[in-house]
Amino acid sequence: MTRTEYPWLLPAELIGADGPELPGDRGPARTRRTVRDWCVDTLMFLVAAAIGLLAVESTEQAGNSETVVLVDLLVGGLACCALWARRRRPAEVAVVLAVVSAVAPAASAAALASLFGVAVHRPLRPVLVVGGLSLVAGSAQTVLRPDPSVSLYAALAATVVMLLLAIGWGLLVRARRQLVVALRERARRAEAEAELRAQQAQRLAREAIAREMHDVLAHRLTLLSVHAGALEFRPDAPAPEVARAAGVIRDSAHEALQDLRTIIGVLRAPGAADEGERPQPTLATLDDLVAESRAAGMKVTLDRRIEDPAAVPAALGRTAYRIAQEALTNARKHAPGTEATVELGGGPGDGLTVAVRNEAPLGEAPRVPGSGQGLIGLTERAALAGGRFEHGPTDDGGFTVRAWLPWTP
């Protein structure tokens, strides 16, 4: 959370190690005063002392003895000094000063200031209790130490008005500080949520790039593996076949490098448009994928029951292409030499169905490191597109993957 540039202008209660806090609500009060607190406390001390001196002068003019005037002066001075402790013990100081003010008019201003402090630093219930005690003490002072120049009812009314003003002002200050606390807490949560959303978006972007890299490079590398394996096990193959296999290996390696360069470019500058960016595959380019698989020696049958593949939305066609690509890659890795069938069907409003089936492997299926990761990626890809993905073995020992993707009309 961003801190204020001038913390000395704030009350101490709004400056904490872990953020703003109010005493009585979120722990003990901060006892170290800021520059603002020193200024406010000094001003209250001086105002209370000035009003206390006026009260002593009124007591002297009322015909009281010098001893009574001296006692009032001393009590008023001590009451003003007690205001310096009102931040640590606001309720206790207010109670003591309220009781003292009942018999010493010089302490009335200090008692009023301490009541204001209780309203600022404590919840409503202690404020009402101390306010009631102050009202009783003020009424007792009006009766025990009356001012000859003011009527009894006027003095009582003035006492009630002053007490209500002190309490109301203190509650207003407290409410404003609570609002500041709430706004700062909300800002802190908003910053934390924004950071969490940014991390989540970054994680999702990385997962999408990793999924794309797996789908693209796995297809290219399996083609390389198939043709390299053919050259390894048939060193006496005719020169034209060796040249054709070498050409496919070269083309597949070149395509893999191009795809890898494109993905790395996205990682370096995500979201940046590149005029030389390779076109993304769509459903219309599925024929090229089947042709590549057939060139690698794989038997592939394409059953496409869609009249115009180019009319399929680009995002939908790309998802279907990746599903078919990964399914053919898995068939080539786990069931080499078998025939695979790719079926496409559906239309706007009905959705797009992609199904890839391969026959049972010839002999024991080879174990491939990292098996199952491609199916997990396809499940996530279909779910992100709002569709469904199913996979599993068939009754004859083969394997089938099927995906349904929504196709809005």
Side-chain angles (χ1 to χ4, degrees):
M1 185 186 65
T2 303
R3 298 289 183 182
T4 179
E5 187 176 358
Y6 304 105
W8 53 273
L9 291 177
L10 294 177
E13 290 79 8
L14 295 183
I15 303 175
D18 299 325
E21 58 185 22
L22 286 182
D25 289 344
R26 301 180 58 186
R30 175 186 169 103
T31 57
R32 185 176 180 180
R33 293 178 176 89
T34 63
V35 175
R36 175 194 175 279
D37 293 335
W38 281 105
C39 294
V40 171
D41 292 347
T42 303
L43 181 60
M44 281 195 171
F45 173 82
L46 295 177
V47 171
I51 296 176
L53 291 176
L54 294 177
V56 170
E57 184 178 356
S58 299
T59 301
E60 185 177 4
Q61 293 177 357
N64 294 288
S65 63
E66 293 183 0
T67 304
V68 174
V69 174
L70 180 60
V71 170
D72 283 350
L73 183 61
L74 293 176
V75 172
L78 293 175
C80 292
C81 294
L83 290 178
W84 292 102
R86 69 180 183 88
R87 292 185 181 273
R88 295 185 179 181
R89 304 275 184 182
E92 293 83 347
V93 172
V95 169
V96 173
L97 294 184
V99 174
V100 172
S101 66
V103 294
S108 299
L112 202 63
S114 64
L115 179 61
F116 169 79
V118 174
V120 172
H121 298 288
R122 288 294 180 263
L124 183 59
R125 180 176 295 180
V127 174
L128 295 178
V129 173
V130 178
L133 178 61
S134 299
L135 179 60
V136 173
S139 302
Q141 180 196 117
T142 304
V143 175
L144 297 177
R145 302 288 299 274
D147 189 350
S149 61
V150 181
S151 66
L152 178 62
Y153 295 105
L156 290 176
T159 300
V160 173
V161 170
M162 295 301 294
L163 291 176
L164 292 179
L165 286 177
I167 294 175
W169 188 14
L171 292 178
L172 180 62
V173 173
R174 178 177 178 82
R176 183 181 178 278
R177 293 184 181 181
Q178 288 177 330
L179 178 61
V180 173
V181 170
L183 292 177
R184 287 187 177 181
E185 187 66 26
R186 185 179 302 176
R188 181 192 290 115
R189 288 198 302 266
E191 290 180 2
E193 291 175 359
E195 183 178 358
L196 183 61
R197 285 194 298 268
Q199 293 177 355
Q200 185 177 7
Q202 187 179 22
R203 179 179 59 82
L204 293 176
R206 289 177 177 176
E207 290 178 357
I209 293 173
R211 190 184 304 112
E212 193 75 11
M213 182 180 294
H214 176 274
D215 295 343
V216 173
L217 296 184
H219 171 70
R220 302 295 180 191
L221 295 179
T222 52
L223 292 178
L224 288 173
S225 177
V226 169
H227 288 282
L231 291 179
E232 179 183 5
F233 288 102
R234 294 191 59 190
D236 56 344
E241 292 186 8
V242 173
R244 183 179 63 84
V248 173
I249 292 175
R250 180 195 61 204
D251 294 340
S252 298
H254 178 72
E255 293 291 332
L257 289 176
Q258 291 294 332
D259 293 331
L260 185 59
R261 186 177 294 111
T262 301
I263 295 174
I264 292 177
V266 174
L267 285 174
R268 288 177 177 174
D274 188 3
E275 296 180 357
E277 185 180 356
R278 305 183 67 199
Q280 292 295 322
T282 62
L283 203 61
T285 60
L286 188 60
D287 293 335
D288 298 336
L289 176 65
V290 174
E292 288 182 355
S293 299
R294 288 172 178 171
M298 186 177 183
K299 301 176 184 178
V300 182
T301 301
L302 178 60
D303 183 10
R304 182 165 51 196
R305 297 183 296 276
I306 298 177
E307 297 181 359
D308 187 10
V312 179
L316 177 62
R318 183 165 56 252
T319 302
Y321 180 94
R322 294 304 186 195
I323 292 175
Q325 182 185 50
E326 179 62 24
L328 290 177
T329 301
N330 288 340
R332 193 160 49 244
K333 290 192 298 184
H334 299 284
T338 61
E339 182 177 1
T341 303
V342 180
E343 297 180 357
L344 292 172
D350 297 331
L352 178 64
T353 302
V354 184
V356 180
R357 300 183 183 88
N358 63 270
E359 298 176 349
L362 304 176
E364 185 178 357
R367 294 182 177 227
V368 180
S371 299
Q373 298 299 320
L375 295 177
I376 296 176
L378 293 183
T379 303
E380 294 177 351
R381 185 183 289 273
L384 289 176
R388 301 185 299 271
F389 182 78
E390 302 173 353
H391 59 87
T394 59
D395 296 336
D396 58 356
F399 199 83
T400 300
V401 297
R402 177 183 295 273
W404 177 87
L405 305 173
W407 185 354
T408 57

